[in-house]
Amino acid sequence: MKVETLEDVLFPGLNLVVRQVVVADDSLMVDAAGCGPPGGCPQCEHPAARVHSRYWRHIAGLPVGGHKMIVRLRVRRFFCDQSHCRRRTFVEQVAGLTEPRRRSSTAARSATRAVAVELGGRPGQRLCVKLRLHGRRTALLGQLTAPPVPARAPRILGIDEFAFRRGRTYGTVLVDIDTSRPVDVLPDRETATVAAWLLEHPGAEIVCRDRLMAFTKAIRQAALGVLEVADRWHLLQNLSTAVEKTCRRHRDCLRQPSSMDAGQEPVIPETPLLDRVRQRHAEVNELAASGLSLSAIGRRLRLDRKTVRRYRNHDLEDLLASARDRGHGVLDPFIGHIQHRFDQGATSPMQLYREVLALGYSGGYHVVHRYVTTIRKGTAIPARAVTPSPRTITSWIMRPQEGLSLADTASLEAARTACPEIAAACDLAREFTDMLRHRRGHLLRDWIQKAELSGPDAIGVFADSVRQDLHAVAAGLTLPYSSGIVEGHVNRIKTIKRQVYGRASFTLLRARILLQP
């Protein structure tokens, strides 16, 4: 059995001589000296012949046996005897251990760099402490340098946006679809920025993108002749939005009071909620027309910024229809019983509360009391048969028919029968999804014409947007390429952002995106 020396255990394959090993607290101090050939001058590469001096270097290495290892290295400084060389002296480097102006070994730097790529600064520093590695936050971040971007773009390029701050600032990520690796990250999603990158990095033949107009303009400005492929997932998302908008606009066709006589139109009385929606809609749009920002309007009306945006961006009829759909939550299944008993003379809220408790009601007394009060005032919403929400109907339409249960199929057929507009939206949506799933892009023009002539308004708007991007959408419905890989990288970027708590600069975020495998 071969007896290995201490050098073979600690520094296998390196030109080092270990002179002393001392354990102090949680550190392992190793005194060593280089024993290899002098090497050459780093500037002129002429081999050294004379020693100028010797001094000690302290190099942090990989941990050994749960101890931090510090190599106290005795190194030589040599003369450079070449008269034409501007460098007069230089220090020897131990290959595989030291680098100029570095205080960590090559192996330790590789380990801390991997930690920095995966975790960043503060989390990486905490892990280094547990692993007995020398890695402070600033040192870890200093190792995150983005790799150089190839001079030519990949043949199949994927492009998508991601949010630095949702609703405020966005960036752009470019991905090689063939290798699933990110190519570059841009600081915004402006047409000029993307077009400049495409001009500087030619070579793309196919570009997979979403339907953001800025990307479309950039590709057509800077990459003529490139085949654009619209992402199928975004097409389905846009179509689903159009179908849901149609269902919301025609939800009154589905709303039938349980006690309504045949042929009688449903009459929904005015409520304080509807009055409040009208008032807020008028106030928000009046202030928005005066030039105030969403935040300023929210402060003045004491509303959340998202609420202000909703009132500004939606039609009043859509807001009122949504408000009418708001029921009493847990009381909904028992409204018919309360109304029937109230008509019979049982007008005590406490008595009605005890009756619905016996029927399985799990809410509080104040909910029943409030509803009985609306009955007395004549503002109570009549009991309605349970109807599916617009989003539920949309999910039935967009899913494959073979994936629906018998109950869902029956409910969808009832909705189609009650509203011809929903039936038309359903037929058109299913035709489009069939084209998408079976790659029948040659039928797209006929579908657009049919949707624009006989489809609901929302479906017609979607068809018009498809016509404006006809070649890219047709390619998306024909070719196997998509932006699925790019969307995966967008999700990875979200994870990285959460790790750095949104504090990372663009340079650091870009480096971590490009360095992570």
Side-chain angles (χ1 to χ4, degrees), residues 38-39 46-52 78-81 90:
H46 188 272
R50 296 189 299 147
V51 176
H52 174 276
F78 295 97
F79 283 105
C80 181
D81 294 324
F90 62 91

Coordinates of all heavy atoms in Angstrom, one line a residue, residues 38-39 46-52 78-81 90:
P38 N 10.9 28.3 -11.7 CA 10.6 29.7 -11.5 C 9.4 30.2 -12.4 O 8.7 31.1 -11.9 CB 11.9 30.4 -11.8 CG 12.9 29.3 -11.6 CD 12.3 28.1 -12.0
G39 N 9.3 29.8 -13.5 CA 8.3 30.3 -14.4 C 8.8 31.5 -15.2 O 10.0 31.9 -15.0
H46 N 9.8 35.7 -20.5 CA 11.2 35.2 -20.4 C 11.4 34.5 -19.1 O 10.9 35.0 -18.1 CB 12.1 36.4 -20.6 CG 13.6 35.9 -20.7 ND1 14.4 35.7 -19.6 CD2 14.3 35.6 -21.8 CE1 15.6 35.3 -20.0 NE2 15.6 35.3 -21.4
P47 N 12.0 33.3 -19.1 CA 12.1 32.6 -17.8 C 13.0 33.3 -16.8 O 14.0 34.0 -17.2 CB 12.8 31.2 -18.2 CG 13.3 31.5 -19.6 CD 12.5 32.5 -20.2
A48 N 12.7 33.2 -15.5 CA 13.4 33.9 -14.5 C 14.7 33.2 -14.2 O 14.8 32.0 -14.3 CB 12.6 34.1 -13.3
A49 N 15.7 34.0 -13.7 CA 17.0 33.4 -13.3 C 17.5 33.8 -12.0 O 18.3 33.1 -11.3 CB 18.1 33.7 -14.4
R50 N 17.0 34.9 -11.5 CA 17.5 35.5 -10.2 C 16.3 35.7 -9.3 O 15.3 36.2 -9.7 CB 18.2 36.8 -10.4 CG 19.5 36.6 -11.2 CD 20.3 37.9 -11.2 NE 19.6 39.0 -11.8 CZ 19.7 40.3 -11.4 NH1 20.5 40.6 -10.3 NH2 19.0 41.2 -12.0
V51 N 16.5 35.4 -8.0 CA 15.5 35.7 -6.9 C 15.7 37.1 -6.4 O 16.8 37.5 -6.0 CB 15.6 34.6 -5.8 CG1 14.6 35.0 -4.7 CG2 15.3 33.3 -6.4
H52 N 14.6 37.9 -6.4 CA 14.7 39.2 -5.8 C 14.5 39.2 -4.3 O 15.3 39.8 -3.5 CB 13.6 40.1 -6.5 CG 13.5 41.5 -5.9 ND1 12.7 41.7 -4.8 CD2 14.0 42.7 -6.3 CE1 12.7 43.0 -4.5 NE2 13.5 43.6 -5.4
F78 N 10.9 37.3 -8.4 CA 12.0 37.1 -9.3 C 12.3 38.4 -10.0 O 11.4 39.3 -10.2 CB 11.8 36.0 -10.3 CG 11.7 34.7 -9.7 CD1 10.4 34.1 -9.4 CD2 12.8 33.9 -9.5 CE1 10.4 32.8 -8.9 CE2 12.7 32.7 -8.9 CZ 11.5 32.1 -8.6
F79 N 13.6 38.6 -10.5 CA 13.9 39.7 -11.4 C 13.5 39.3 -12.9 O 13.6 38.1 -13.2 CB 15.4 39.9 -11.4 CG 15.9 40.7 -10.2 CD1 16.5 40.0 -9.1 CD2 15.7 42.0 -10.1 CE1 17.0 40.7 -8.0 CE2 16.1 42.7 -8.9 CZ 16.7 42.1 -7.9
C80 N 13.2 40.3 -13.6 CA 13.1 40.1 -15.1 C 14.3 40.8 -15.7 O 14.4 42.0 -15.6 CB 11.8 40.6 -15.6 SG 11.6 40.4 -17.5
D81 N 15.2 40.0 -16.3 CA 16.5 40.5 -16.7 C 16.4 41.1 -18.2 O 17.5 41.4 -18.7 CB 17.6 39.5 -16.6 CG 17.9 39.1 -15.2 OD1 17.8 40.0 -14.3 OD2 18.1 37.9 -14.9
F90 N 8.6 40.1 -10.7 CA 7.3 39.4 -10.7 C 7.3 38.3 -9.7 O 8.4 37.9 -9.2 CB 7.0 38.9 -12.1 CG 7.9 37.9 -12.6 CD1 7.7 36.5 -12.3 CD2 9.1 38.2 -13.3 CE1 8.6 35.5 -12.8 CE2 10.0 37.3 -13.7 CZ 9.7 35.9 -13.5

